[in-house]
Amino acid sequence: MTGTTEDYAPHPHIGGRTAALRALAAWRAAAPGAPRVVVLTGDAGSGRSRLLTGFLMLCEPEYRKRLPLDAMDPSTVPPELPPPAVPSAEGLTAAQVLWLIADHFELRATGVEGVYTELAALEEPVTVVVPDVDRAGPVRAADEPARLVREVLAPLAATETVRLMAEVPRPLAAELAEGLPPGTAQIIDLDAPEWADPDVLVRFAQAALNPEFGAPELPFTVDPAVRLALGAAIGRRAGSPLVVQLAVNCVLMAPEGFDPADERFLPTSVGAALDLHARRLGTDSQTLRMLLAPLALAEAEGIPVQLWARLASAVAGHDMSPAIAGGMLLAGPFVQPEEVTGSDADSDGADEGRTLLRLLHPALAEEIRAGLPNVAAAQTQIAMSLLEAVPEQDWGKADPYVRDHIAGHTLEAGLLPQLLTDPGLFVHADPVPLRAAVEAVPLEQLGAPARTYLRTAPLLTRTQAPAELRAAFLETAFVEDGLPEYAEAIRERLGLELPWQTLWSLPVAGVSAVTVGTLPGTEGAAATPVAVLVVPPGTPGARPVGAAGAEGGESGPAALVHGLVQPGLLDDADLGRIVRPSDEERAAAPLGLSRGGDYLRVWNRADQEVVAALISDTPFTAADLSPDGILLVATERGAKALRIRAAGAEIAS
């Protein structure tokens, strides 16, 4: 009975696709001869996401209970097994997807290679399903889907203990299957004859027109005969499930004057759906496409509704406000509004309570972008318009979309390096999309500030630090990289209360120990706060510790003496005269210091509250805290001193 579907009910969410469901069920069951890797592909809008969603319902115990399994073709129903790992790639980087998988299987790996090594060592195979590969990445122009396939999915596919299914755009499908032993991988292309299911389009259209499933009551939806005939005509002409959805949306949102017997306005493609809908509403297709162009060029979840008219006008080159004011009937079938709630808002909560607009499907964006004379020029106009929307050029006051996603627009416009000179943008922008955009620019095109940001960005994304802490990390990084004017701009122009001020940074390798102290003045002069850095012998400017009476002589460790507050080496300082703080002085100090492998915490002794937390992208090798609140730190990169703000002006010398 597996060769026919006549006696079985179709999957209620999919309405067909029996051949594909059988193949997916065999993969899930690890049936004899079934591949270990399945690559699900097809044209944009071919229904691969819908198919995968329906299949995953059969893999999830709670959803299985709601499906009519007894009435369905048994060959399309996978066995009941523990749910697979399903890390959706939408909006995520390749690295984020990999760590989602590692977290799901509770792997202990700390590096990328360790993840694959641990997976390969598992005693039992594990199952991973990766949907939405075409929507991967926080920045569209960074081409994250290709990176995800090459850096994550291909190694997973090569790991014999991993049973992998991935929903992949067609240009990447063959690449994912390449190099695997024969019989290991199967590509299911939903547009290929053996997997296509034309009847599913008719059933989909007829269901979408049915008031029982949410359609409005209209003459051609309440009359069963008319509804079925119209659904059959839509399904017969449409080339994909997406075109069916667009055709139904158009007639349901603007039913006035629609004749269900006239097939001239039933589309055969995404482009035809746009053109025919505009013509039926008495306007030109170009107006509709210009209305939708900002959404086709948008980043992330879409643009805020209040920016729509501004950006549409920027792309069109003239005021589009009148068209937008009365344009929801025109644009509505192709647009998906989304109300941003607390759980969906950004880390600062700034997006909460607003409406974002996005296109119904990425294939619509592809169609509209393909019709633009010059995508880079359109993105340039959008970027310029977004820049003009920043109040007083203060990124702290900018709309969250402008602040977080202007980098994506300028990347595609070819203008991102010119934007990467403002420390306010570095501090206030969401570091995940900004980092992805900057990483997509060739390193030789980046200026010094952008390179500092790129070096610091892993810390910012790893810690999910708020703006104040991002500013503090960047302030230190700019000092380390010899860009004091950028550090000063962060301290003086942004109006943020930083937990510290970086006093100086010394790029010297091999610092193994540090201590704070004072060098007594001579002839009544004030004592000088100093930092003593233990460094390898032969370090320029260092003197052997043995010369001051310590063991080791010339072959032992050496030391550099540096001003603790004022930058500069003190070449003539006498190591023997330097006075270290006593245990009593340290115990009486208002601040205490705790150290871990990659973090330092400074805390108030009075209430144990942490007032500053420092995290490094290279391991800490030494640290000390002066009684008056100056933190001396050494890493593999060198040494630096930070004045802890919480110490108060009266004790921070």
Side-chain angles (χ1 to χ4, degrees), residues 277-291:
H277 184 67
R279 187 192 312 168
R280 192 164 66 84
L281 268 61
T283 189
D284 63 286
S285 176
Q286 190 63 13
T287 297
L288 174 57
R289 289 170 182 262
M290 285 297 101
L291 283 177

PDB file of all heavy atoms in Angstrom, residues 277-291:
ATOM      1  N   HIS A 277      -1.675  42.015  -9.225  1.00  0.00           N
ATOM      2  CA  HIS A 277      -2.384  42.658  -8.117  1.00  0.00           C
ATOM      3  C   HIS A 277      -2.396  44.174  -8.306  1.00  0.00           C
ATOM      4  O   HIS A 277      -3.430  44.824  -8.089  1.00  0.00           O
ATOM      5  CB  HIS A 277      -1.720  42.293  -6.791  1.00  0.00           C
ATOM      6  CG  HIS A 277      -2.439  42.838  -5.595  1.00  0.00           C
ATOM      7  ND1 HIS A 277      -3.693  42.419  -5.225  1.00  0.00           N
ATOM      8  CD2 HIS A 277      -2.074  43.801  -4.688  1.00  0.00           C
ATOM      9  CE1 HIS A 277      -4.085  43.077  -4.133  1.00  0.00           C
ATOM     10  NE2 HIS A 277      -3.114  43.920  -3.798  1.00  0.00           N
ATOM     11  N   ALA A 278      -1.265  44.732  -8.694  1.00  0.00           N
ATOM     12  CA  ALA A 278      -1.216  46.180  -8.922  1.00  0.00           C
ATOM     13  C   ALA A 278      -2.175  46.577 -10.044  1.00  0.00           C
ATOM     14  O   ALA A 278      -2.912  47.569  -9.923  1.00  0.00           O
ATOM     15  CB  ALA A 278       0.213  46.597  -9.259  1.00  0.00           C
ATOM     16  N   ARG A 279      -2.189  45.813 -11.126  1.00  0.00           N
ATOM     17  CA  ARG A 279      -3.066  46.154 -12.249  1.00  0.00           C
ATOM     18  C   ARG A 279      -4.536  46.058 -11.844  1.00  0.00           C
ATOM     19  O   ARG A 279      -5.347  46.909 -12.192  1.00  0.00           O
ATOM     20  CB  ARG A 279      -2.792  45.210 -13.423  1.00  0.00           C
ATOM     21  CG  ARG A 279      -3.543  45.618 -14.702  1.00  0.00           C
ATOM     22  CD  ARG A 279      -3.506  44.520 -15.759  1.00  0.00           C
ATOM     23  NE  ARG A 279      -2.162  43.976 -15.955  1.00  0.00           N
ATOM     24  CZ  ARG A 279      -1.916  42.871 -16.640  1.00  0.00           C
ATOM     25  NH1 ARG A 279      -2.932  42.170 -17.147  1.00  0.00           N
ATOM     26  NH2 ARG A 279      -0.692  42.444 -16.790  1.00  0.00           N
ATOM     27  N   ARG A 280      -4.884  45.035 -11.063  1.00  0.00           N
ATOM     28  CA  ARG A 280      -6.287  44.881 -10.664  1.00  0.00           C
ATOM     29  C   ARG A 280      -6.746  46.035  -9.774  1.00  0.00           C
ATOM     30  O   ARG A 280      -7.915  46.409  -9.779  1.00  0.00           O
ATOM     31  CB  ARG A 280      -6.477  43.537  -9.945  1.00  0.00           C
ATOM     32  CG  ARG A 280      -7.948  43.148  -9.746  1.00  0.00           C
ATOM     33  CD  ARG A 280      -8.099  41.686  -9.410  1.00  0.00           C
ATOM     34  NE  ARG A 280      -7.524  41.335  -8.124  1.00  0.00           N
ATOM     35  CZ  ARG A 280      -8.157  41.480  -6.959  1.00  0.00           C
ATOM     36  NH1 ARG A 280      -9.379  42.003  -6.933  1.00  0.00           N
ATOM     37  NH2 ARG A 280      -7.578  41.126  -5.843  1.00  0.00           N
ATOM     38  N   LEU A 281      -5.801  46.609  -9.008  1.00  0.00           N
ATOM     39  CA  LEU A 281      -6.155  47.733  -8.148  1.00  0.00           C
ATOM     40  C   LEU A 281      -5.968  49.079  -8.824  1.00  0.00           C
ATOM     41  O   LEU A 281      -6.079  50.136  -8.186  1.00  0.00           O
ATOM     42  CB  LEU A 281      -5.330  47.688  -6.853  1.00  0.00           C
ATOM     43  CG  LEU A 281      -5.998  46.932  -5.681  1.00  0.00           C
ATOM     44  CD1 LEU A 281      -6.261  45.484  -6.030  1.00  0.00           C
ATOM     45  CD2 LEU A 281      -5.150  47.036  -4.426  1.00  0.00           C
ATOM     46  N   GLY A 282      -5.677  49.059 -10.119  1.00  0.00           N
ATOM     47  CA  GLY A 282      -5.638  50.296 -10.895  1.00  0.00           C
ATOM     48  C   GLY A 282      -4.382  51.120 -10.725  1.00  0.00           C
ATOM     49  O   GLY A 282      -4.409  52.341 -10.928  1.00  0.00           O
ATOM     50  N   THR A 283      -3.274  50.493 -10.380  1.00  0.00           N
ATOM     51  CA  THR A 283      -2.020  51.238 -10.267  1.00  0.00           C
ATOM     52  C   THR A 283      -0.956  50.493 -11.050  1.00  0.00           C
ATOM     53  O   THR A 283      -1.186  49.398 -11.569  1.00  0.00           O
ATOM     54  CB  THR A 283      -1.604  51.405  -8.796  1.00  0.00           C
ATOM     55  OG1 THR A 283      -0.502  52.292  -8.713  1.00  0.00           O
ATOM     56  CG2 THR A 283      -1.218  50.070  -8.175  1.00  0.00           C
ATOM     57  N   ASP A 284       0.223  51.109 -11.131  1.00  0.00           N
ATOM     58  CA  ASP A 284       1.289  50.458 -11.894  1.00  0.00           C
ATOM     59  C   ASP A 284       2.134  49.588 -10.971  1.00  0.00           C
ATOM     60  O   ASP A 284       2.279  49.869  -9.773  1.00  0.00           O
ATOM     61  CB  ASP A 284       2.172  51.499 -12.590  1.00  0.00           C
ATOM     62  CG  ASP A 284       2.891  52.388 -11.598  1.00  0.00           C
ATOM     63  OD1 ASP A 284       2.218  53.261 -11.015  1.00  0.00           O
ATOM     64  OD2 ASP A 284       4.107  52.208 -11.400  1.00  0.00           O
ATOM     65  N   SER A 285       2.710  48.560 -11.543  1.00  0.00           N
ATOM     66  CA  SER A 285       3.493  47.612 -10.762  1.00  0.00           C
ATOM     67  C   SER A 285       4.714  48.267 -10.141  1.00  0.00           C
ATOM     68  O   SER A 285       5.135  47.888  -9.044  1.00  0.00           O
ATOM     69  CB  SER A 285       3.925  46.442 -11.658  1.00  0.00           C
ATOM     70  OG  SER A 285       4.757  45.548 -10.955  1.00  0.00           O
ATOM     71  N   GLN A 286       5.292  49.279 -10.805  1.00  0.00           N
ATOM     72  CA  GLN A 286       6.493  49.910 -10.275  1.00  0.00           C
ATOM     73  C   GLN A 286       6.226  50.605  -8.944  1.00  0.00           C
ATOM     74  O   GLN A 286       7.077  50.607  -8.051  1.00  0.00           O
ATOM     75  CB  GLN A 286       7.056  50.911 -11.292  1.00  0.00           C
ATOM     76  CG  GLN A 286       8.430  51.461 -10.948  1.00  0.00           C
ATOM     77  CD  GLN A 286       9.512  50.377 -10.919  1.00  0.00           C
ATOM     78  OE1 GLN A 286       9.302  49.262 -11.388  1.00  0.00           O
ATOM     79  NE2 GLN A 286      10.661  50.715 -10.358  1.00  0.00           N
ATOM     80  N   THR A 287       5.042  51.196  -8.806  1.00  0.00           N
ATOM     81  CA  THR A 287       4.695  51.824  -7.531  1.00  0.00           C
ATOM     82  C   THR A 287       4.679  50.791  -6.413  1.00  0.00           C
ATOM     83  O   THR A 287       5.212  51.019  -5.318  1.00  0.00           O
ATOM     84  CB  THR A 287       3.331  52.515  -7.630  1.00  0.00           C
ATOM     85  OG1 THR A 287       3.401  53.573  -8.595  1.00  0.00           O
ATOM     86  CG2 THR A 287       2.897  53.091  -6.286  1.00  0.00           C
ATOM     87  N   LEU A 288       4.053  49.641  -6.674  1.00  0.00           N
ATOM     88  CA  LEU A 288       4.021  48.580  -5.673  1.00  0.00           C
ATOM     89  C   LEU A 288       5.430  48.111  -5.336  1.00  0.00           C
ATOM     90  O   LEU A 288       5.784  47.942  -4.168  1.00  0.00           O
ATOM     91  CB  LEU A 288       3.177  47.408  -6.183  1.00  0.00           C
ATOM     92  CG  LEU A 288       3.165  46.147  -5.310  1.00  0.00           C
ATOM     93  CD1 LEU A 288       2.700  46.453  -3.900  1.00  0.00           C
ATOM     94  CD2 LEU A 288       2.292  45.066  -5.952  1.00  0.00           C
ATOM     95  N   ARG A 289       6.261  47.939  -6.346  1.00  0.00           N
ATOM     96  CA  ARG A 289       7.616  47.457  -6.101  1.00  0.00           C
ATOM     97  C   ARG A 289       8.438  48.481  -5.319  1.00  0.00           C
ATOM     98  O   ARG A 289       9.265  48.110  -4.483  1.00  0.00           O
ATOM     99  CB  ARG A 289       8.293  47.088  -7.423  1.00  0.00           C
ATOM    100  CG  ARG A 289       7.709  45.812  -8.045  1.00  0.00           C
ATOM    101  CD  ARG A 289       8.199  45.586  -9.463  1.00  0.00           C
ATOM    102  NE  ARG A 289       7.608  44.393 -10.046  1.00  0.00           N
ATOM    103  CZ  ARG A 289       8.196  43.195 -10.110  1.00  0.00           C
ATOM    104  NH1 ARG A 289       9.424  43.041  -9.617  1.00  0.00           N
ATOM    105  NH2 ARG A 289       7.592  42.161 -10.653  1.00  0.00           N
ATOM    106  N   MET A 290       8.223  49.757  -5.578  1.00  0.00           N
ATOM    107  CA  MET A 290       8.945  50.781  -4.821  1.00  0.00           C
ATOM    108  C   MET A 290       8.461  50.833  -3.371  1.00  0.00           C
ATOM    109  O   MET A 290       9.244  51.077  -2.453  1.00  0.00           O
ATOM    110  CB  MET A 290       8.774  52.149  -5.480  1.00  0.00           C
ATOM    111  CG  MET A 290       9.599  52.353  -6.747  1.00  0.00           C
ATOM    112  SD  MET A 290      11.391  52.273  -6.463  1.00  0.00           S
ATOM    113  CE  MET A 290      11.765  50.605  -7.026  1.00  0.00           C
ATOM    114  N   LEU A 291       7.168  50.593  -3.164  1.00  0.00           N
ATOM    115  CA  LEU A 291       6.658  50.518  -1.795  1.00  0.00           C
ATOM    116  C   LEU A 291       7.332  49.388  -1.022  1.00  0.00           C
ATOM    117  O   LEU A 291       7.642  49.517   0.167  1.00  0.00           O
ATOM    118  CB  LEU A 291       5.145  50.282  -1.797  1.00  0.00           C
ATOM    119  CG  LEU A 291       4.231  51.462  -2.112  1.00  0.00           C
ATOM    120  CD1 LEU A 291       2.779  50.992  -2.144  1.00  0.00           C
ATOM    121  CD2 LEU A 291       4.405  52.556  -1.070  1.00  0.00           C
TER     122      LEU A 291
END
